[in-house]
């Protein structure tokens, strides 16, 4: 009959729920059409004044390594959230005011998971993904039953720790049942059955409105076997269950299994309803439930569990590519009384200790590859640049971003190139050895040519108007003869090879015995005058050396050098390799070998007597010391520059 009553009651409430008008919702007070919601304190219809929210960010700059207190969590706190604002090598730690470590105590780093302490359970999270930037966190619903202290194990700059918890006000009572609801009516769509009593009276319960403090309407308590004096039409009376008697009582028939196989577990006695005479088990309805003993827990399997190695998670690989190292923490632990304790490592000697370090390789590193040879110089003469393609190539052969390769090892893809002096230089040969006249005035000659880098002649303006002279005067002494045209010997050819000219002196003379006098050319006008110049061609020139003027000295003192360009050219002024290397003019020679005289700056003085210590400590690279010990720092700088110059 009791089962029938229960079924009918359920049908009644189901009908009531289905009859709810469409579009209306149930508020947190379980009333249809109510718009009440729970506030941040968890109070239905509250105004957020029933609790205090404490939050902040710990951003102090720390210097010493080790444990640093962040915040104190008071007793009774709920909704606890301690979160590191970004990923770091620091760790959060938690311990009670009594000094008992809950998470990450005694320099031991616990694995992420759930840890009990302070009357609540904390969820410890530590993201380990390489791409994750989230930091560590402690989360707990509370409430705490003691004061807890949160610490940070400081190892690198503090990224900031955000903390937040809620403290309920002492005078706020959260109602167990919404006002205006009968016990036994459905709460959030579920049926709540109230316990039965053995009292025969029909006293009515009164509820107190927890919001107003005023007594609300009275409702009968629906209990099996008891009904209100006036029942609604749609309420079905329940059938009274069979009466209990003293022929049966409760008896312990055993215990539950121990909750753990070692390390102190719990078990509970099992009570069954039995016949007092036959001791046979019967339905519990024959015994008085109010007299059923409450099972009390008792300890079992109190011997410690075997110690074991607690293996932490691997750290990130020390290198993003190529062979690196990763580490993990391996601790010896032992379980006792539902707590995992860290113990001395010798307790785990019966087990092989797992490795704490391991090699790792996320991927094969990309490498630099030279794709092309050097290009031609960017200029035909002078100093230019040349380039080549250098690419970062993955192990699969794909071209990737340069950041994938080690930038310190990148080969140069651009460099300077010197194509020699540009075209605006005069190239000269040496002066001829012979004068053009055997006696009297004559000339010596040389070749002058303006060169480009392609060894071709240019107009005069190409090398400027200061063209070096091609001839120079010479005199081999006076000549003697009689009144006649006297033609001297032909001079040597103006060039030693190729097409040139020869000169000779033609004068009118009067010969005397042992001598002759030069006369006015008019005196010989009746005679045919011999030619004084003719062309000559001794032989093909072949190749010979040409050189430019010397450059400016590279240093004004303490020894520099100057250079000039020397080229071997053939008859047609094209490059040749037929010149005799033994006669090649020098291309480089020293210059300005005298010592340098340093300039004396009257404002450059040492302000301290011990500036020699600054020099020895190599502090002259800093502006402050360079100014405070100006004279000493300048002397050592001059010595170093002189040494480098001599090298």
């Amino acid at each position: 009959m009791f089962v029938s009553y229960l079924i009918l009651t359920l049908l009644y409430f189901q009908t009531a729920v289905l009859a709810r008008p469409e579009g209306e919702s149930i508020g947190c007070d379980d009333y249809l059409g109510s718009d009440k919601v729970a506030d941040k304190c968890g109070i239905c219809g509250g105004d957020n004044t029933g609790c205090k929210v404490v939050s902040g960010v710990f951003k102090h700059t720390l210097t010493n390594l080790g444990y640093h207190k962040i915040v104190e969590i008071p007793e009774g706190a709920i909704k606890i959230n301690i979160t590191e604002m970004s990923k770091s090598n620091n760790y959060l730690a938690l311990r009670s005011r009594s000094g008992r470590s809950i998470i990450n105590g005694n320099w031991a780093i616990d694995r992420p998971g759930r840890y009990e302490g302070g009357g609540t359970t904390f969820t410890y999270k530590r993201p380990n993904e390489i791409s994750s930037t989230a930091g560590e966190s402690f989360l707990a619903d509370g409430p705490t039953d003691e004061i807890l202290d949160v610490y940070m194990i400081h190892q690198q700059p503090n990224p900031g720790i955000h903390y937040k918890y809620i403290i309920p006000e002492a005078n706020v009572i959260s109602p167990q049942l919404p006002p205006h609801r009968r016990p036994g009516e459905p709460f959030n769509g579920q049926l709540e059955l109230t316990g039965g009593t053995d009292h025969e009276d029909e006293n009515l319960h009164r509820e107190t409105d927890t919001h107003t403090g005023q007594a609300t309407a009275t409702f009968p308590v629906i209990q099996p076997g008891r009904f209100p004096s006036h029942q609604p039409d749609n309420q079905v009376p329940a059938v009274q269950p069979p009466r209990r008697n003293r022929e049966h009582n409760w008896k312990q028939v055993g215990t539950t299994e121990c909750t753990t196989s070692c390390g102190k577990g719990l078990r509970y006695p099992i009570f069954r309803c039995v016949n007092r005479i036959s001791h046979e088990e019967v339905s519990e309805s024959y015994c008085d439930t109010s007299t059923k003993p409450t099972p009390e827990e008792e300890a079992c399997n109190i011997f410690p569990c075997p110690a074991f190695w607690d293996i932490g998670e691997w750290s990130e690989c020390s290198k993003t590519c190529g062979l690196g190292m990763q580490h993990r923490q391996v601790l010896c632990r032992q379980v006792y009384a539902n707590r995992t304790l860290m113990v001395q490592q010798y307790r785990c000697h019966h087990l092989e200790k797992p490795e704490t370090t391991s090699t790792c390789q996320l991927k094969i590193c990309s490498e630099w590859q030279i794709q092309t040879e050097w290009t031609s110089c960017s200029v035909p003469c002078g100093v230019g640049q040349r380039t080549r393609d250098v690419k970062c190539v993955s192990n699969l052969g794909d071209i990737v971003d340069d950041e994938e390769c080690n930038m310190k090892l990148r080969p140069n893809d651009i460099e300077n190139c010197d194509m020699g002096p540009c075209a605006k230089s005069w190239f000269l040969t040496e002066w001829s050895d012979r004068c053009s006249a055997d006696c009297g005035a004559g000339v010596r000659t040389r070749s002058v040519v303006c060169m480009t880098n392609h060894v071709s002649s240019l107009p005069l303006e190409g090398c400027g108007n200061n063209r070096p002279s091609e001839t120079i005067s010479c005199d081999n002494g006076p000549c003697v003869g009689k009144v006649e045209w006297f033609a001297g010997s032909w001079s040597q050819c103006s060039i030693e090879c190729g097409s040139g000219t020869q000169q000779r002196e033609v004068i009118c003379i009067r010969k005397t015995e042992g001598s002759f006098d030069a006369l006015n050319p008019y005196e010989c006008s009746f005679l045919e005058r011999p030619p004084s110049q003719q062309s000559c061609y001794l032989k093909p020139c072949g190749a010979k050396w040409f050189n430019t003027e010397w450059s400016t000295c590279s240093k004004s003192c303490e020894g520099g050098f100057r250079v000039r360009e020397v080229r071997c050219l053939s008859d047609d002024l094209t490059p040749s390799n037929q010149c005799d290397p033994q006669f090649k003019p020098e291309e480089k020679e020293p210059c300005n070998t005298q010592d340098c005289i340093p300039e004396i700056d009257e404002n450059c003085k040492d302000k301290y007597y011990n500036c020699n210590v600054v020099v020895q400590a190599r502090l002259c690279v800093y502006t402050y010391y360079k100014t405070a010990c100006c004279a000493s720092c300048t002397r050592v700088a001059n010595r170093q520059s002189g040494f480098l110059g001599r090298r």
Side-chain angles (χ1 to χ4, degrees):
M1 294 297 293
F2 175 73
V3 174
S4 300
Y5 161 76
L6 180 59
I7 293 175
L8 290 173
T9 305
L10 286 172
L11 290 173
Y12 163 73
F13 287 118
Q14 183 179 10
T15 303
V17 171
L18 293 175
R20 182 178 66 190
E22 184 178 358
E24 295 191 22
S25 60
I26 299 177
C28 63
D29 55 358
D30 206 38
Y31 275 100
L32 186 63
S34 171
D35 58 356
K36 289 186 178 181
V37 295
D39 65 0
K40 66 182 181 181
C41 305
I43 299 175
C44 183
D47 57 0
N48 296 321
T49 61
C51 64
K52 178 182 179 182
V53 178
V54 179
S55 65
V57 177
F58 179 84
K59 298 199 71 172
H60 296 315
T61 301
L62 306 175
T63 56
N64 298 329
L65 300 178
Y67 287 83
H68 293 268
K69 185 175 178 180
I70 298 175
V71 68
E72 175 185 294
I73 302 175
E75 181 180 354
I78 61 174
K79 305 297 181 183
I80 303 165
N81 186 339
I82 312 294
T83 301
E84 192 178 26
M85 297 182 70
S86 65
K87 191 175 186 178
S88 73
N89 289 330
N90 302 326
Y91 294 93
L92 299 175
L94 183 68
R95 74 175 183 180
S96 66
R97 184 54 59 90
S98 62
R100 183 177 72 85
S101 295
I102 300 173
I103 301 176
N104 293 345
N106 300 320
W107 291 100
I109 306 303
D110 295 309
R111 301 174 66 180
R114 297 169 63 86
Y115 294 85
E116 295 183 357
T120 185
T121 300
F122 284 86
T123 300
Y124 175 35
K125 297 181 178 180
R126 182 171 66 244
N128 195 43
E129 296 82 3
I130 294 178
S131 60
S132 174
T133 59
E136 295 192 346
S137 63
F138 292 158
L139 303 174
D141 291 332
T144 56
D145 60 3
E146 61 176 323
I147 299 175
L148 302 176
D149 292 323
V150 178
Y151 290 83
M152 179 176 69
I153 305 177
H154 175 245
Q155 299 187 102
Q156 71 175 61
N158 172 28
I161 308 296
H162 177 266
Y163 58 87
K164 180 180 179 181
Y165 57 84
I166 297 175
I167 304 175
E169 296 292 345
N171 58 350
V172 175
I173 301 175
S174 180
Q176 298 299 318
L177 291 175
H180 309 295
R181 187 170 71 86
R182 297 181 179 87
E185 287 186 339
F187 182 72
N188 288 339
Q190 295 185 1
L191 178 65
E192 178 184 52
L193 298 178
T194 59
T197 66
D198 286 333
H199 299 288
E200 299 297 330
D201 61 336
E202 296 183 357
N203 293 335
L204 300 179
H205 287 253
R206 296 179 64 86
E207 294 182 344
T208 302
D209 192 323
T210 56
H211 293 284
T212 62
Q214 302 296 324
T216 61
T218 61
F219 299 94
V221 180
I222 303 177
Q223 300 174 353
R226 304 299 301 165
F227 302 96
S229 56
H230 176 72
Q231 299 177 358
D233 295 338
N234 59 353
Q235 183 170 337
V236 180
V239 179
Q240 185 173 356
R243 278 192 165 274
R244 307 176 183 88
N245 52 50
R246 296 296 181 178
E247 295 178 0
H248 303 85
N249 63 354
W250 299 100
K251 178 183 178 182
Q252 180 177 349
V253 297
T255 61
T256 62
E257 291 187 7
C258 193
T259 55
T260 61
S261 60
C262 59
K264 190 180 180 180
L266 297 175
R267 62 184 179 187
Y268 300 88
I270 300 174
F271 295 98
R272 295 284 188 264
C273 182
V274 300
N275 187 288
R276 297 186 62 181
I277 299 175
S278 64
H279 299 286
E280 294 181 354
E281 288 189 21
V282 296
S283 173
E284 291 190 357
S285 61
Y286 287 94
C287 292
D288 188 353
T289 57
S290 63
T291 62
K292 183 177 182 178
T294 301
E296 296 183 359
E297 64 183 32
E298 60 183 34
C300 56
N301 295 340
I302 61 175
F303 53 89
C305 292
F308 64 94
W309 291 113
D310 185 18
I311 304 173
E313 297 177 2
W314 286 110
S315 65
E316 295 182 11
C317 194
S318 60
K319 294 185 178 180
T320 56
C321 69
L323 196 63
M325 294 294 295
Q326 59 183 175
H327 307 270
R328 65 180 177 184
Q329 192 172 49
V330 178
L331 302 174
C332 184
R333 294 186 182 275
Q334 201 166 15
V335 176
Y336 186 77
N338 291 327
R339 290 188 58 200
T340 302
L341 308 176
M342 187 176 67
V343 296
Q344 296 294 329
Q345 293 199 1
Y346 74 86
R347 295 181 180 270
C348 293
H349 281 174
H350 63 288
L351 300 172
E352 182 180 357
K353 184 176 181 179
E355 295 292 335
T356 58
T357 60
S358 174
T359 58
C360 54
Q361 182 170 334
L362 299 180
K363 62 179 179 180
I364 299 175
C365 287
S366 301
E367 62 179 3
W368 295 109
Q369 287 188 6
I370 299 173
Q371 303 281 310
T372 62
E373 297 294 333
W374 287 109
T375 62
S376 300
C377 197
S378 60
V379 295
C381 62
V383 178
Q385 289 184 328
R386 61 179 186 172
T387 60
R388 62 182 177 182
D389 285 339
V390 176
K391 300 295 185 182
C392 181
V393 180
S394 71
N395 62 302
L396 300 178
D398 299 326
I399 296 177
V400 295
D401 292 337
D402 286 358
E403 290 74 12
E404 294 287 331
C405 291
N406 188 343
M407 297 299 294
K408 295 181 179 179
L409 302 179
R410 190 180 195 274
N412 289 334
D413 60 353
I414 185 170
E415 69 175 11
N416 292 339
C417 49
D418 189 350
M419 299 301 291
C422 284
K424 299 185 180 178
S425 297
W426 291 107
F427 285 72
L428 317 169
T429 63
E430 299 295 332
W431 289 107
S432 61
D433 294 331
R434 297 170 57 183
C435 189
S436 61
D438 294 332
C439 61
V443 294
R444 296 168 62 195
T445 62
R446 66 179 177 182
S447 296
V448 178
V449 62
C450 180
M451 301 291 295
T452 67
N453 61 306
H454 299 299
V455 198
S456 62
S457 300
L458 287 178
L460 292 179
E461 60 268 24
C463 292
N465 296 322
N466 296 326
R467 180 185 178 92
S469 174
E470 292 181 293
T471 62
I472 187 172
S473 62
C474 57
D475 191 346
N476 288 332
C479 298
V480 294
K482 56 182 180 178
V483 178
E484 61 183 13
W485 291 108
F486 176 79
S489 301
W490 288 106
S491 67
Q492 290 185 353
C493 194
S494 61
I495 58 176
E496 297 177 357
C497 59
S499 297
T501 59
Q502 288 179 304
Q503 307 290 335
R504 67 178 177 177
E505 189 72 18
V506 178
I507 60 175
C508 182
I509 62 171
R510 176 181 288 120
K511 287 187 178 182
T512 61
E513 188 176 351
S515 65
F516 63 86
D517 295 325
L519 303 178
N520 191 300
Y522 172 77
E523 299 291 334
C524 295
S525 59
F526 64 95
L527 299 174
E528 184 180 358
R529 182 184 177 102
S532 61
Q533 179 176 324
Q534 72 176 8
S535 61
C536 58
Y537 184 88
L538 299 179
K539 61 178 180 179
C541 285
K544 58 183 175 181
W545 294 109
F546 286 75
N547 58 266
T548 63
E549 299 286 354
W550 288 109
S551 68
T552 305
C553 193
S554 62
K555 295 180 65 177
S556 60
C557 58
E558 287 194 347
F561 61 89
R562 61 180 186 174
V563 296
R564 64 181 177 181
E565 187 177 4
V566 178
R567 296 188 183 179
C568 178
L569 303 179
S570 62
D571 291 336
D572 57 356
L573 300 180
T574 59
S576 173
N577 57 2
Q578 301 299 317
C579 297
D580 189 345
Q582 293 183 354
F583 298 104
K584 181 179 180 180
E586 294 294 331
E587 295 181 286
K588 181 177 181 181
E589 69 177 10
C591 54
N592 295 339
T593 57
Q594 73 276 8
D595 293 336
C596 293
I597 301 176
E599 297 182 3
I600 300 176
D601 185 357
E602 305 237 347
N603 296 324
C604 183
K605 299 179 180 179
D606 288 347
K607 298 180 181 179
Y608 300 100
Y609 69 90
N610 59 344
C611 282
N612 61 319
V613 178
V614 172
V615 173
Q616 294 172 1
R618 299 182 180 179
L619 298 176
C620 288
V621 295
Y622 299 101
T623 304
Y624 172 78
Y625 292 106
K626 186 185 294 184
T627 303
C629 297
C630 180
S632 296
C633 289
T634 302
R635 280 196 299 273
V636 70
N638 289 335
R639 286 199 298 271
Q640 291 176 351
S641 63
F643 171 72
L644 293 176
R646 289 190 292 273
R647 292 181 62 187

